[in-house]
């Protein structure tokens, strides 16, 4: 079986587990911690695997992605520019009209309460922007 076919058959949660394990260093630990905080903040959050290998967390739309690079883990909030960030967690992609990101470098840690609040705000924004279903007229 080809590698890409094997990946396509696994659920997103298993692919994210594998990514965390494959990183095997502080980046895997950071991604695992962020994942746990997201699940604490939004029980029932949906894990997805998109764009050829990017962990994505959704609730009524994408909340954030979790990309891993050599020097950092990047959490990109697709609607981050529309979110209040009183704790100043966003430290990357600050110039765009829509996205905002949090770059985590080795030795850095997120404020758990502030991050959970940001995730909840992203979920609330998605819920508020959801189109109401129209009743069918008989």
């Amino acid at each position: 079986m080809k590698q890409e076919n094997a990946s396509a058959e696994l659920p997103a949660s298993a692919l994210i587990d594998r990514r965390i394990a494959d990183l095997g260093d502080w980046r895997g630990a950071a991604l695992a911690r962020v994942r746990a905080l997201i699940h604490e903040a939004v029980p029932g959050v949906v894990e997805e695997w998109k764009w050829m290998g990017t962990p994505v967390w959704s609730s009524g739309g994408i909340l954030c992605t979790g990309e891993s690079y050599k020097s950092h883990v990047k959490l990109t909030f697709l609607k981050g520019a529309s979110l209040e960030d009183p704790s100043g967690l966003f430290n990357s992609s600050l110039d765009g009209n829509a996205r905002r990101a949090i770059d985590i470098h080795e030795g850095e840690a997120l404020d758990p309460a502030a991050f959970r609040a940001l995730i909840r705000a992203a979920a609330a924004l998605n819920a508020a922007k959801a189109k109401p279903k129209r009743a069918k007229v008989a």
Side-chain angles (χ1 to χ4, degrees), residues 67-106:
E67 302 152 81
S68 51
Y69 297 96
K70 199 175 231 182
S71 66
H72 64 284
V73 171
K74 180 180 282 295
L75 308 172
T76 302
F77 288 69
L78 273 60
K79 299 175 185 171
S82 299
L83 299 174
E84 300 270 338
D85 180 22
S87 297
L89 294 179
F90 290 133
N91 61 8
S92 181
S93 304
L94 301 175
D95 296 332
N97 293 330
R99 292 186 179 102
R100 294 288 182 271
I102 301 169
D103 287 354
I104 304 169
H105 297 89
E106 188 170 9

Side-chain angles (χ1 to χ4, degrees), residues 16-36 67-69 72-73:
I16 295 170
D17 288 342
R18 185 163 65 186
R19 168 66 49 82
I20 289 168
D22 287 350
L23 287 169
D25 59 11
W26 69 268
R27 296 170 302 161
L31 196 56
R33 179 68 180 135
V34 164
R35 182 189 200 189
E67 302 152 81
S68 51
Y69 297 96
H72 64 284
V73 171

Side-chain angles (χ1 to χ4, degrees), residues 51-63:
W51 307 298
M52 296 173 48
T54 302
V56 176
W57 292 275
S58 298
S59 178
I62 294 174
L63 300 174

